[in-house]
Amino acid sequence: MRRRISALFIVILLSISSMTSAESNERISIDLDRGMISTAPVANGEVVIIKSIGHLTALDIDDGSQMWVVKHPTPHLFEISPPLFHSSIGNDLLLVGWTDGMVCAYDANTGEELWNRSTEMKGYGITGAMLVVGSEVIVPYDHGLMALDIMTGSVSWDVVIEEELFYRSSPVAFGNAYLMGSETGVLWEISANSTPSIFYSPAVDIESPMIRGPVTVIGNRILIPVQGSSNGGLIETDGESTIVHPVWGAIAILADSSGDVVVATSQNTTIYDCTTWCVASQKLTNEPVSGEVG
């Protein structure tokens, strides 16, 4: 019995050793030495794209070797608008919005710039996520929303809301329009052929309200993450009824799946069951979370 146990123990040790060795060989550590990385890497086939301060770097997804690098001047010490891949016949595009207000399209395979379009920078340039709809890329900039032809960069339409500032807010399709929140906590409904209108005004019990992320659409209800200087809320509305679910701390980008919504903040993370009206169902962690939850 002892011999069998010893032999089995040796086999287990050898198995663990080989697994550890395999895992170690599969891990690649690369120091780009190009400033802070504040957006998640994006991958497309054999290429992974890293956006850092003033740089866009393409790495081979297998061995981490550098395929190409693009330098771009930036006025800030962060870049938080994620790169966006778009593939069409004969073209693999990488669409990038920068904090200097510039939108650029690059050849995803070579890094060659194909076109660029400047937006007026009022504060932090482009900080929200862009969105591809048909043949257009929808670009949130810091005081408006515009649509560009995805192949040429020409302006299809441009809606400016001079009195507002948009930071880290991303457009969400809503019928034939888009919803986008501002630094004053107002949720705007924006479309190409009409004057922008206020879809939601901030609740009076939230101090210094700000919407710094995309809203979530579930059926006929809109979930609006509103953070304030001392309190905040997940606002749930169907246009007629509104419920404020109290939330404290800076709110990360919401994640939803089949009616479950993950609300992560700088204080905790909670799952809400939003099959009908949202109800907090489980607390996941009391640790701070920022960025985007997947």
Side-chain angles (χ1 to χ4, degrees), residues 36-47:
M36 182 171 58
I37 299 172
S38 49
T39 63
V42 293
N44 182 38
E46 300 299 315
V47 182

Side-chain angles (χ1 to χ4, degrees), residues 178-196:
Y178 299 93
L179 299 176
M180 193 165 72
S182 75
E183 287 288 273
T184 60
V186 174
L187 184 65
W188 289 88
E189 186 172 356
I190 303 170
S191 60
N193 301 312
S194 61
T195 302

